[in-house]
Amino acid sequence: MVEIFGELDPPPRLLMGPGPVGVDPRVLRAMSMPMLGQFDPAFTAYMNETMALLRQIFRTQNKWALLVDGTARAGIEALLVSLIAPGDKVLVPVFGRFGHLLAEIASRCGGEVVTIERDWGSVFTAEEIERAIKTHKPRVLALVHGDTSTTMAQPLDHIGDVCRAHDVIFYSDATATLGGMPVDVDRWKVDAVSAGLQKCLSGPPGSAPITFNERVVEIAKHRKHVEAGIRAPGVVEGNGPRIQSNYFDIAMLMDYWGESRLNHHTEATSMLYAAREAVRIALAEGLEERFARHRLASRALTAGLLAMELQLFGDQMHKMPNVTGVVIPQGVDGDGVRRMMLDDFGIEIGTSFGPLHGKIWRIGTMGYVCRKESVLVCLGALEACLRRFGYKRAAGAGVDAALAIYNEKKA
Ligand SMILES: Cc1ncc(COP(=O)(O)O)c(C=O)c1O
């Protein structure tokens, strides 16, 4: 019996969770462009253009800014497995789920992982991180920039200086922040950074932009090993421990994305089109303008939530502008509200993980959905759903407060 199912026909949704968010239609259009061979000069030119675009969004002069094919954690794995040799000490400050993820990946790379922890909803001071560096003397510091699980953004300025002073390699996960708030790779002296497309860049999940500097290149060269089937005579290999993954070996990725164009994987053509378009759109808007748009949406959304007498989650001084945590009011069925938002309004908002599961909702205002209409519609729907679940406050207060913030900008 042949079973072919129906043609794909996804229901229309407004994706306002912590990611993925709605994809910009221009990115979807770019993804439908025809295939090219991976060594077609037209395609390698697109690869080079993508590198140039990525350097601008990462605000870096690094030669190496490229895509790892896979979701954001593919970018994390590529950098950590290439940086961490078995036995290397790795310090991971954990302030949410994704710090635990970095610690887990670093330990799978054979790293000797040391963690320091903060309560979810807060971030570290630079002094706390410096103290831990002095105590543990790690080779690598792996630090999340924006942790979507808690909605907090860890300030990264000053930490690069501390790392340089103690000869530590500084890696950061900017999956949730790139394109929505500043990620100043060079100014902050971050040696290696990875991200994803499906949050503030409003692309689909499946491509991970990364960048790294010469300090990282030196490590990768020292560990360089080329597959026998493609190794050219005279190629110089490193004498350090071989990088433990073939797919995520950044030394081989450099050979593929660089002048030698040595074949590695087959670049994910449509995802490269998507990434190129997503970053092009962000740069055309203007990064400062884009960050301001995210800050404004955050101000309007939080004003609306407070007007509904809801409590915001976490240290508001360090909240990311692109995701907002809301405490689920006592006695309200948080999953029931989310289900009603989806079923009756077609709006997705997020739950959270670990200690925050069932305690907060997370509302994303990222990239293409970071718009006045989305904020207003989401607040209106949330209010209606909350009323159904027994939480009744002044009708219309949330939308009114958010509108007032948007109108304030016009005045
Ligand atoms: C901060 C952070 N890092 C890493 C990831 C993992 O991304 P992916 O699911 O694309 O692998 C996420 C996803 O939500 C994230 O928010």
Side-chain angles (χ1 to χ4, degrees):
M1 219 285 266
V2 180
E3 218 181 356
I4 57 166
F5 306 108
E7 193 180 336
L8 276 177
D9 184 20
R13 298 284 194 230
L14 177 58
L15 295 182
M16 295 189 71
V21 296
V23 173
D24 191 309
R26 284 171 291 178
V27 173
L28 292 175
R29 204 158 57 222
M31 292 180 77
S32 67
M33 294 294 147
M35 285 301 106
L36 285 170
Q38 57 178 326
F39 297 112
D40 185 320
F43 188 69
T44 53
Y46 288 147
M47 289 174 80
N48 289 342
E49 287 170 5
T50 304
M51 293 176 88
L53 292 164
L54 289 175
R55 280 184 205 108
Q56 296 170 71
I57 196 137
F58 278 122
R59 296 176 151 179
T60 184
Q61 303 289 325
N62 288 345
K63 172 173 181 189
W64 299 105
L66 48 87
L67 300 172
V68 177
D69 294 346
T71 64
R73 79 179 57 206
I76 302 174
E77 292 223 25
L79 289 172
L80 292 187
V81 79
S82 300
L83 277 172
I84 301 168
D88 280 349
K89 193 177 268 190
V90 183
L91 174 66
V92 187
V94 176
F95 59 100
R97 176 203 165 171
F98 291 102
H100 285 296
L101 175 67
L102 299 188
E104 138 91 22
I105 293 174
S107 84
R108 284 179 189 245
C109 300
E112 194 192 307
V113 178
V114 180
T115 57
I116 51 172
E117 296 202 28
R118 288 289 311 235
D119 288 341
W120 291 28
S122 64
V123 296
F124 292 89
T125 62
E127 293 71 33
E128 283 170 321
I129 293 176
E130 178 164 27
R131 221 174 302 128
I133 286 177
K134 283 182 176 157
T135 309
H136 300 291
K137 303 187 174 40
R139 179 80 193 96
V140 175
L141 171 72
L143 181 59
V144 174
H145 184 207
D147 198 312
T148 37
S149 68
T150 67
T151 76
M152 296 294 112
Q154 167 68 52
L156 299 185
D157 46 347
H158 306 308
I159 296 187
D161 283 325
V162 173
C163 286
R164 293 280 160 97
H166 297 274
D167 196 24
V168 172
I169 298 288
F170 180 16
Y171 158 77
S172 186
D173 171 10
T175 302
T177 49
L178 189 69
M181 60 184 282
V183 178
D184 273 313
V185 172
D186 286 1
R187 202 155 61 78
W188 297 342
K189 302 192 178 81
V190 197
D191 297 307
V193 181
S194 66
L197 281 197
Q198 75 269 27
K199 300 191 193 273
C200 299
L201 288 172
S202 269
S207 181
I210 64 170
T211 186
F212 47 90
N213 63 19
E214 289 304 310
R215 298 177 87 205
V216 175
V217 172
E218 277 314 300
I219 294 172
K221 274 192 185 153
H222 180 60
R223 303 182 66 188
K224 184 171 169 151
H225 168 87
V226 183
E227 287 166 42
I230 55 171
R231 194 185 306 133
V235 95
V236 183
E237 299 210 330
N239 55 9
R242 188 173 67 171
I243 293 169
Q244 297 198 80
S245 164
N246 172 303
Y247 193 67
F248 291 136
D249 180 328
I250 60 166
M252 285 207 277
L253 288 177
M254 285 189 274
D255 280 346
Y256 181 51
W257 282 79
E259 299 78 27
S260 54
R261 292 277 174 220
L262 190 59
N263 183 227
H264 177 241
H265 63 290
T266 308
E267 183 51 19
T269 321
S270 312
M271 287 310 302
L272 179 125
Y273 293 166
R276 179 182 177 281
E277 190 62 8
V279 178
R280 222 172 63 78
I281 290 169
L283 294 171
E285 179 178 358
L287 287 182
E288 291 306 333
E289 287 77 3
R290 196 172 174 93
F291 303 152
R293 177 162 62 85
H294 283 77
R295 285 196 302 270
L296 179 61
S298 175
R299 276 215 304 130
L301 177 65
T302 53
L305 295 167
L306 291 172
M308 290 159 70
E309 297 179 41
L310 291 164
Q311 192 192 329
L312 305 176
F313 173 75
D315 165 10
Q316 293 302 297
M317 290 286 294
H318 293 105
K319 173 193 166 313
M320 279 192 276
N322 50 349
V323 197
T324 299
V326 194
V327 178
I328 300 171
Q330 201 84 39
V332 169
D333 170 7
D335 284 343
V337 169
R338 285 200 316 122
R339 206 170 320 111
M340 187 178 168
M341 292 277 287
L342 192 69
D343 292 345
D344 291 334
F345 293 89
I347 301 176
E348 180 180 280
I349 62 168
T351 177
S352 194
F353 312 104
L356 295 180
H357 183 72
K359 299 215 168 79
I360 67 166
W361 295 303
R362 292 175 301 152
I363 304 179
T365 44
M366 298 192 242
Y368 190 67
V369 296
C370 175
R371 290 199 308 267
K372 177 174 154 187
E373 309 88 273
S374 320
V375 170
L376 298 179
V377 166
C378 180
L379 284 168
L382 183 61
E383 185 193 282
C385 296
L386 277 169
R387 204 174 308 127
R388 283 296 168 103
F389 279 83
Y391 181 90
K392 298 188 172 115
R393 296 293 186 275
V399 173
D400 280 349
L403 260 179
I405 298 286
Y406 276 109
N407 290 340
E408 181 187 291
K409 198 182 164 236
K410 270 193 228 135

